[in-house]
Coordinates of all heavy atoms in Angstrom, one line a residue:
R1 N -0.4 11.7 3.2 CA -0.1 12.2 1.9 C -0.5 11.4 0.8 O -0.5 11.8 -0.4 CB 1.5 12.6 1.9 CG 2.1 13.6 2.8 CD 3.6 13.7 2.5 NE 4.2 12.4 3.0 CZ 5.5 12.2 2.7 NH1 6.3 13.1 2.1 NH2 6.0 11.1 3.1
L2 N -1.0 10.2 0.9 CA -1.6 9.3 0.1 C -3.0 9.6 0.0 O -3.7 8.8 -0.8 CB -1.2 7.9 0.3 CG 0.4 7.6 0.0 CD1 0.4 6.0 0.4 CD2 0.7 7.8 -1.3
E3 N -3.6 10.5 0.6 CA -4.9 11.1 0.7 C -6.0 9.9 0.6 O -5.9 9.0 1.6 CB -5.0 11.8 -0.7 CG -4.1 13.1 -0.8 CD -4.1 13.7 -2.1 OE1 -5.2 13.8 -2.8 OE2 -3.0 14.1 -2.5
A4 N -6.8 9.8 -0.4 CA -8.0 8.8 -0.4 C -7.4 7.4 -0.3 O -8.2 6.5 0.2 CB -8.8 9.0 -1.6
L5 N -6.1 7.0 -0.6 CA -5.8 5.7 -0.8 C -5.5 5.1 0.7 O -5.7 4.0 1.0 CB -4.4 5.6 -1.5 CG -4.5 6.0 -2.9 CD1 -3.0 5.7 -3.5 CD2 -5.4 5.0 -3.7
T6 N -5.3 5.9 1.6 CA -5.2 5.6 3.0 C -6.3 6.0 4.0 O -6.1 6.1 5.2 CB -3.9 6.0 3.7 OG1 -3.8 7.4 3.4 CG2 -2.6 5.4 2.9
K7 N -7.4 6.3 3.3 CA -8.6 6.8 4.2 C -9.1 5.6 5.1 O -9.5 5.7 6.2 CB -9.7 7.2 3.3 CG -10.8 7.9 4.0 CD -11.8 8.4 3.1 CE -13.0 9.1 3.7 NZ -14.0 9.7 2.9
K8 N -9.0 4.3 4.5 CA -9.6 3.3 5.3 C -8.6 2.1 5.4 O -8.9 1.1 6.0 CB -10.8 2.6 4.5 CG -11.9 3.7 4.6 CD -13.3 3.0 3.9 CE -14.4 3.9 4.0 NZ -15.6 3.4 3.4
I9 N -7.4 2.3 4.9 CA -6.3 1.2 5.1 C -5.0 1.9 5.4 O -4.7 3.0 5.2 CB -6.1 0.3 3.8 CG1 -5.7 1.2 2.7 CG2 -7.4 -0.5 3.6 CD1 -5.3 0.3 1.3
A10 N -4.2 1.1 6.1 CA -2.9 1.6 6.5 C -2.0 1.8 5.3 O -2.1 1.0 4.2 CB -2.3 0.6 7.5
K11 N -1.1 2.7 5.2 CA -0.2 2.9 4.2 C 0.5 1.6 3.6 O 0.6 1.4 2.4 CB 0.9 4.0 4.4 CG 1.7 4.4 3.3 CD 2.5 5.7 3.5 CE 3.3 5.7 4.8 NZ 4.2 7.0 4.8
P12 N 1.0 0.8 4.4 CA 1.7 -0.4 4.0 C 0.9 -1.4 3.3 O 1.2 -2.3 2.5 CB 2.3 -1.0 5.2 CG 2.4 0.1 6.2 CD 1.3 1.0 5.9
A13 N -0.5 -1.2 3.4 CA -1.4 -2.1 2.7 C -1.8 -1.6 1.3 O -2.7 -2.3 0.7 CB -2.8 -2.3 3.6
V14 N -1.5 -0.4 0.9 CA -1.7 0.2 -0.3 C -1.1 -0.7 -1.4 O -0.1 -1.3 -1.3 CB -1.2 1.5 -0.5 CG1 -1.3 2.1 -2.0 CG2 -1.9 2.5 0.5
S15 N -1.9 -1.0 -2.6 CA -1.6 -1.7 -3.7 C -0.2 -1.1 -4.4 O 0.0 0.1 -4.3 CB -2.7 -1.8 -4.7 OG -3.8 -2.4 -4.2
F16 N 0.5 -2.1 -5.0 CA 1.6 -1.6 -5.8 C 2.0 -2.7 -6.9 O 1.9 -3.9 -6.6 CB 2.9 -1.4 -4.9 CG 4.2 -1.0 -5.6 CD1 4.3 0.2 -6.0 CD2 5.1 -2.0 -6.0 CE1 5.5 0.6 -6.8 CE2 6.2 -1.7 -6.7 CZ 6.4 -0.5 -7.2
G17 N 2.4 -2.1 -8.1 CA 2.9 -3.1 -9.1 C 1.9 -4.2 -9.6 O 2.4 -5.2 -9.9
A18 N 0.6 -3.8 -9.5 CA -0.5 -4.7 -10.1 C -0.8 -5.9 -9.3 O -2.0 -6.3 -9.3 CB 0.0 -5.3 -11.6
K19 N 0.1 -6.5 -8.5 CA -0.3 -7.6 -7.7 C 0.1 -7.6 -6.3 O -0.1 -8.6 -5.5 CB 0.2 -8.9 -8.4 CG 1.6 -8.9 -8.5 CD 2.1 -10.4 -9.2 CE 1.8 -11.4 -8.2 NZ 2.3 -12.8 -8.6
Y20 N 1.0 -6.6 -6.0 CA 1.5 -6.5 -4.6 C 0.8 -5.5 -3.7 O 0.1 -4.7 -4.2 CB 3.0 -6.3 -4.7 CG 3.9 -7.4 -5.5 CD1 4.1 -7.0 -6.8 CD2 4.1 -8.6 -5.0 CE1 4.7 -8.0 -7.6 CE2 4.7 -9.5 -5.8 CZ 5.0 -9.1 -7.1 OH 5.8 -10.1 -7.9
R21 N 1.3 -5.6 -2.4 CA 1.1 -4.4 -1.5 C 2.4 -3.9 -1.1 O 3.5 -4.8 -1.1 CB 0.2 -4.9 -0.4 CG -1.1 -5.5 -0.8 CD -2.1 -5.4 0.4 NE -3.4 -6.2 0.1 CZ -4.5 -5.8 0.7 NH1 -4.5 -5.1 1.7 NH2 -5.6 -6.6 0.3
I22 N 2.5 -2.7 -0.5 CA 3.8 -2.3 -0.2 C 4.4 -3.1 0.9 O 5.7 -3.3 0.8 CB 3.7 -0.7 0.4 CG1 3.1 0.1 -0.8 CG2 4.9 -0.2 0.8 CD1 2.7 1.6 -0.4
I23 N 3.7 -3.5 1.8 CA 4.3 -4.4 2.9 C 5.0 -5.7 2.5 O 5.7 -6.2 3.1 CB 3.2 -4.7 4.1 CG1 3.8 -5.2 5.3 CG2 2.1 -5.6 3.4 CD1 4.6 -4.2 6.0
D24 N 4.5 -6.1 1.3 CA 5.1 -7.3 0.7 C 6.6 -7.2 0.5 O 7.2 -8.2 0.7 CB 4.4 -7.7 -0.5 CG 3.1 -8.1 -0.5 OD1 2.7 -8.6 0.5 OD2 2.3 -7.9 -1.6
F25 N 7.2 -6.1 0.3 CA 8.6 -5.9 0.0 C 9.5 -6.0 1.2 O 10.3 -6.9 1.3 CB 8.7 -4.6 -0.6 CG 8.4 -4.5 -2.1 CD1 7.0 -4.4 -2.4 CD2 9.3 -4.9 -3.1 CE1 6.7 -4.6 -3.8 CE2 8.9 -5.0 -4.5 CZ 7.5 -4.8 -4.8
P26 N 9.1 -5.3 2.3 CA 10.0 -5.5 3.6 C 9.8 -6.9 4.1 O 10.8 -7.5 4.7 CB 9.5 -4.4 4.6 CG 8.2 -4.0 4.2 CD 8.3 -4.1 2.6
L27 N 8.5 -7.5 4.2 CA 8.4 -8.8 4.7 C 9.1 -9.9 3.8 O 9.7 -10.8 4.3 CB 6.9 -9.1 4.8 CG 6.2 -8.6 6.0 CD1 4.7 -8.7 5.8 CD2 6.6 -9.3 7.3

């Protein structure tokens, strides 16, 4: 559902908030 953003990377590796990736939050 994130379309082109996850074409070559896993969803948790998608950028968020200018300097983070989504996986940064649960870790």
Side-chain angles (χ1 to χ4, degrees):
R1 292 181 298 168
L2 290 180
E3 303 172 36
L5 296 181
T6 50
K7 187 175 181 180
K8 294 184 178 180
I9 62 172
K11 180 165 58 170
V14 169
S15 299
F16 177 80
K19 64 173 291 184
Y20 302 101
R21 301 198 191 199
I22 297 170
I23 192 67
D24 290 335
F25 287 80
L27 279 169

